[in-house]
Amino acid sequence: MYIIMLGAPGTGKGTIGAEICKHFNLNHVSTGDIFREEIRNKTELGQLAESYISKGQLVPDEVTIKMVENTLDRMEDVILDGFPRTIDQAKALKEILRGPNKKVTTITTVINLIVPDEDIIKRTSSRVVCSNKKCGASYNPVFLPPKVEGICDVCGSELIRRKDDEPETIKQRLDVYYQNTEPLVEYYESEGILEPIKVDIYSPTTKEDTTAEAIRRIEKHLNK
Ligand code: AMP
């Protein structure tokens, strides 16, 4: 099965996606994580990606699509977090799933997480992530604090702020989202696979509630 996590930056695609991934035993493919790994390894792709990511812009479609195509080759049962982000990427994904090595050729469900912009800005500008690239856990001092301030619960490494979580960059990322990614809501709605979920980021049980709701929505499509 293929699940897509859609939503503006900072709506919890990564966190909820990881929970869905565990529940259905899927492969978690996050284009943002792949780019960050390439940046850390100082590869050619990483250097190119960084020049866009640091400004809050999207990495060009041809680069991103090629990377996803290579990653998905011979991989089944996937949750896609952060891809597609443009209509052209969505069309390319359709083609990738029609490839000769694919057993599953359609997308099961698109989970669209909805959070008001002002809450996204508040939440994202206080987000910190684990500096250990093998861990990558994400925390928020307000909603999901680490047990010890500045230290990762999972591996004990230092917590740092993502460069693209600076308030000015977040606003730019939101603009980019509305211009390029929001049209996908209509695109997938017309295919009958869109599941919008409103996320209450002030609820202490938001992660559990949103995960349970997302799983319920996915199961609805699996039983069709
Ligand atoms: P994320 O961790 O998903 O918020 O992604 C971080 C950044 O990586 C984004 O702001 C983009 O600059 C870049 N990126 C991630 N996924 C894509 C994509 N599908 N297309 C273009 N750029 C992307």
Side-chain angles (χ1 to χ4, degrees):
M1 77 202 236
Y2 285 88
I3 306 294
I4 292 174
M5 296 303 293
L6 200 61
T11 49
K13 296 190 296 291
T15 309
I16 305 302
E19 295 299 311
I20 296 173
C21 185
K22 265 192 260 165
H23 182 88
F24 290 107
N25 196 18
L26 306 173
N27 294 292
H28 192 185
V29 174
S30 156
T31 39
D33 283 351
I34 301 175
F35 285 136
R36 282 185 285 278
E37 170 95 36
E38 297 283 338
I39 292 170
R40 273 191 296 267
N41 293 335
K42 298 191 168 37
T43 64
E44 209 175 305
L45 171 61
Q47 279 167 13
L48 177 82
E50 190 171 25
S51 64
Y52 294 93
I53 294 175
S54 62
K55 293 192 214 105
Q57 295 167 355
L58 293 184
V59 179
D61 276 349
E62 59 274 22
V63 177
T64 309
I65 289 167
K66 190 91 219 124
M67 183 179 85
V68 171
E69 194 171 8
N70 290 337
T71 308
L72 290 186
D73 190 36
R74 293 172 198 278
M75 195 189 266
E76 304 285 340
D77 295 323
V78 176
I79 185 155
L80 284 162
D81 163 9
F83 184 93
R85 259 178 158 101
T86 65
I87 294 281
D88 280 348
Q89 289 183 11
K91 288 181 180 161
L93 178 61
K94 245 187 186 170
E95 288 308 311
I96 293 172
L97 296 191
R98 286 198 191 114
N101 297 326
K102 289 284 167 217
K103 290 193 208 85
V104 181
T105 55
T106 54
I107 295 156
T108 310
T109 315
V110 178
I111 298 289
N112 184 30
L113 299 181
I114 302 166
V115 177
D117 282 2
E118 56 273 27
D119 292 343
I120 289 177
I121 293 168
K122 209 183 292 171
R123 177 195 219 181
T124 316
S125 54
S126 57
R127 168 165 71 180
V128 281
V129 294
C130 181
S131 57
N132 172 4
K133 64 179 178 188
K134 291 204 183 93
C135 175
S138 176
Y139 300 88
N140 184 297
V142 184
F143 310 109
L144 190 72
K147 290 193 183 89
V148 180
E149 198 186 325
I151 303 292
C152 178
D153 291 355
V154 182
C155 73
S157 302
E158 188 196 355
L159 298 176
I160 52 171
R161 183 192 246 184
R162 264 171 56 174
K163 234 191 199 165
D164 58 346
D165 279 345
E166 299 294 338
E168 272 318 302
T169 319
I170 296 166
K171 285 191 191 123
Q172 164 69 16
R173 288 167 69 200
L174 278 173
D175 285 349
V176 167
Y177 169 79
Y178 284 114
Q179 207 174 331
N180 299 283
T181 310
E182 213 200 17
L184 289 177
V185 170
E186 208 175 306
Y187 180 88
Y188 285 124
E189 198 167 32
S190 71
E191 303 212 337
I193 53 174
L194 187 82
E195 289 291 342
I197 301 179
K198 281 195 182 151
V199 182
D200 175 7
I201 63 165
Y202 296 104
S203 157
T205 55
T206 184
K207 182 174 156 188
E208 295 76 15
D209 295 347
T210 310
T211 302
E213 184 62 16
I215 290 170
R216 202 178 61 74
R217 306 277 189 104
I218 292 167
E219 278 169 347
K220 193 175 82 182
H221 288 268
L222 284 175
N223 295 331
K224 264 185 189 166

